Amino acid sequence: MKGRIVFATGNAGKVKEIQMIMEDTGMEVLSMKEAGISVDIEENGTTYEENALIKAREVAKYTDAIVMADDSGLEVDYLNKEPGILSARYLGEDTSYRIKNQNLIDRLEGVSDEKRTARFVCAIAAVLPDGKELTTRATIEGRIGYEEKGSHGFGYDPIFYVPQFGKTTAELTEEEKNQVSHRGKALRLMKEELKRYENTGC
Ligand code: ITT
């Protein structure tokens, strides 16, 4: 694959992961900021895919490059899948994750291990220069921990415990997280979709 991708996100944590995951494509991945694009996008979709497409379509108005966007969230089963699609806005966009994470831990007080199941969900959308739109989605299953652990990653990572590693995603190295994460898996699916479209035109 060749060319440039502009990633329609203002989240620096996502940008770092995405650039690592896309490294092997040989394509240059620029954040919106690096591409000099600054837009305020209203994410008023009802699904992760819709929101990812809204972001990618908006930024595609300002560039001829491939544009991709990520819409993601944390679904806690015991809380009826909250905060879900509203994860970034949960308790207010500017509220620190220390407070958001502690709030989720508090809401699960007394809840047993088996009922603390949760998942990160990620939808990736791509808008290609010819107008073609692609979407992919992936998840990682885990549990909400009892305290924050780890300092890598961003957002809800310190409370998202992955049984397979016996660690939170904030305790994993960047490589380990990208191997198993919702974002890593959804982006690898998107790489395949792009290759398929390049080869077949549909
Ligand atoms: P952009 O819309 O600019 O991409 P955002 O942070 O607002 O940035 P979303 O609307 O997709 O992005 O919200 C996703 C939120 O879900 C994110 O802010 C985190 O709170 C949470 N989240 C998603 N993936 C995560 C991950 O890998 N680790 C920790 N938290 C994550």
Side-chain angles (χ1 to χ4, degrees), residues 13 17 24 29-30 45 58 68 96 103 111 113 117 128 168-169 172 177 182 185 187 202:
E17 292 182 6
D24 66 346
V29 181
L30 300 178
E58 185 58 32
M68 285 191 196
S96 76
N103 172 273
V111 175
D113 277 355
T117 52
L128 310 188
T168 68
T169 40
L172 299 181
K177 181 180 171 190
H182 51 321
K185 290 191 266 191
L187 268 172
C202 56

Side-chain angles (χ1 to χ4, degrees), residues 3-174:
R4 281 189 329 151
I5 297 172
V6 173
F7 224 100
T9 179
N11 180 322
K14 286 185 185 177
V15 171
K16 202 168 169 209
E17 292 182 6
I18 289 159
Q19 287 179 331
M20 272 183 79
I21 299 162
M22 298 300 286
E23 226 164 31
D24 66 346
T25 61
M27 298 180 84
E28 190 188 2
V29 181
L30 300 178
S31 66
M32 226 159 69
K33 199 170 157 195
E34 288 166 336
I37 300 169
S38 160
V39 274
D40 211 12
I41 304 167
E42 198 194 338
E43 295 175 33
N44 52 12
T46 56
T47 63
Y48 296 100
E49 283 83 356
E50 268 176 39
N51 275 342
L53 275 169
I54 288 169
K55 294 186 249 193
R57 284 178 189 146
E58 185 58 32
V59 171
K61 292 179 187 165
Y62 301 91
T63 173
D64 292 333
I66 294 174
V67 177
M68 285 191 196
D70 162 312
D71 198 68
S72 43
L74 173 68
E75 296 182 349
V76 181
D77 291 325
Y78 188 79
L79 304 177
N80 298 315
K81 302 206 168 151
E82 272 187 57
I85 199 169
L86 299 175
S87 290
R89 286 166 271 179
Y90 183 61
L91 300 180
E93 191 113 32
D94 295 329
T95 302
S96 76
Y97 276 90
R98 181 134 299 158
I99 291 174
K100 296 190 198 211
N101 286 336
Q102 191 55 52
N103 172 273
L104 289 177
I105 292 169
D106 291 346
R107 290 180 70 191
L108 294 187
E109 198 180 339
V111 175
S112 64
D113 277 355
E114 308 78 65
K115 290 192 177 153
R116 301 176 79 91
T117 52
R119 73 200 50 76
F120 277 129
V121 182
C122 175
I124 299 288
V127 175
L128 310 188
D130 66 0
K132 175 76 177 173
E133 296 181 341
L134 303 166
T135 60
T136 60
R137 171 196 276 242
T139 58
I140 173 175
E141 300 290 328
R143 288 184 185 178
I144 301 302
Y146 295 85
E147 57 182 340
E148 284 196 316
K149 278 191 178 166
S151 55
H152 299 152
F154 64 97
Y156 299 100
D157 280 327
I159 59 165
F160 190 81
Y161 177 83
V162 190
Q164 155 191 8
F165 285 98
K167 288 178 181 175
T168 68
T169 40
E171 293 177 294
L172 299 181
T173 64
E174 288 166 340

